[in-house]
Amino acid sequence: ANDPVRAGTISLVSGVQLTAPSGSTSVVGIVRRLSVFVAMFLGIAAVRRRDGSAVGVRVWRSAKNLDLVRWLALAGEPQNVDRTAQALWPEADARRARASLRKAVFEVRRILGQEHVLREGDQLWLNDVWVDVTAFASLATQVRGAHQAERYDAALESATS
C-alpha cells in the first residue's frame, strides 16, 4: 500500500512513463531494471541508486550534495547554474558559489552515476529520476480532476491504487 508504483509503471520528473518488466511491481524492482534513481522527500529524505541500493547519509559527504539533488529533483526541469549556486551557497560570492556547485555536481555524479546529472551550457538537471513529491502531486491532480468531474469511482481508484 505504501509503494508509489501503480500497475508496474513509474513516471519520471521529465514526464516519461516507464513500465517495468513483468514481475516488477516495487519501486526498487523497477529502479533496478530501468536504470533510474529514486528521490524521496516526503518525510525523511532518501535516495536510491539505480541498482536499488540506498544512499547512506555518510556517502553524501556534505549535506549540500543532497541539497543539490533535492533542488534539482523538486524543480523538475533544467536549472540555471548561477541561480542554483547562489541558492545553495547564498553566503558565498558568485565565484566561490560556482566552485562549490562544481564540487557538489562532481560528488553527486560519483554517487549516482554520470548519466544522472546533466549539464548543457548554463543549465543543470537530473536525468532518469523518479521523485515521490512529483508523483504525489500528479496523483493529487488526477484525483482532483476526477472528483470535479463527479467521477467519484475514478477518484477513489486513483487515490487507492
Side-chain angles (χ1 to χ4, degrees):
N2 289 338
D3 198 336
V5 176
R6 203 173 71 170
T9 302
I10 60 175
S11 297
L12 301 182
V13 169
S14 63
V16 172
Q17 295 273 328
L18 298 175
T19 302
S22 63
S24 296
T25 57
S26 71
V27 170
V28 173
I30 291 174
V31 165
R32 285 183 181 146
R33 288 173 176 79
L34 298 176
S35 294
V36 299
F37 78 94
V38 173
M40 295 177 284
F41 301 118
L42 292 173
I44 297 172
V47 175
R48 290 192 174 272
R49 294 181 184 94
R50 65 181 184 202
D51 66 1
S53 63
V55 179
V57 174
R58 289 190 178 118
V59 174
W60 291 109
R61 293 190 179 175
S62 165
K64 291 288 186 174
N65 296 333
L66 180 55
D67 287 345
L68 174 60
V69 170
R70 185 181 291 121
W71 173 268
L72 295 174
L74 295 176
E77 61 186 19
Q79 295 296 296
N80 178 275
V81 171
D82 291 328
R83 181 172 173 256
T84 300
Q86 283 306 132
L88 294 176
W89 291 275
E91 71 286 347
D93 62 47
R95 186 181 61 75
R96 282 188 41 231
R98 284 182 68 107
S100 295
L101 178 61
R102 277 192 302 277
K103 286 172 50 176
V105 167
F106 174 83
E107 286 297 323
V108 172
R109 284 177 171 158
R110 180 186 62 77
I111 295 165
L112 298 176
Q114 293 279 353
E115 69 278 11
H116 292 301
V117 183
L118 303 179
R119 180 173 176 177
E120 187 174 305
D122 67 347
Q123 300 294 300
L124 184 65
W125 68 95
L126 295 179
N127 186 44
D128 292 337
V129 58
W130 179 88
V131 182
D132 63 349
V133 174
T134 304
F136 180 81
S138 175
L139 182 59
T141 299
Q142 290 173 18
V143 169
R144 190 177 309 112
H147 183 266
Q148 288 171 347
E150 296 186 4
R151 293 181 26 240
Y152 301 112
D153 57 333
L156 182 59
E157 183 178 324
S158 290
T160 59
S161 42

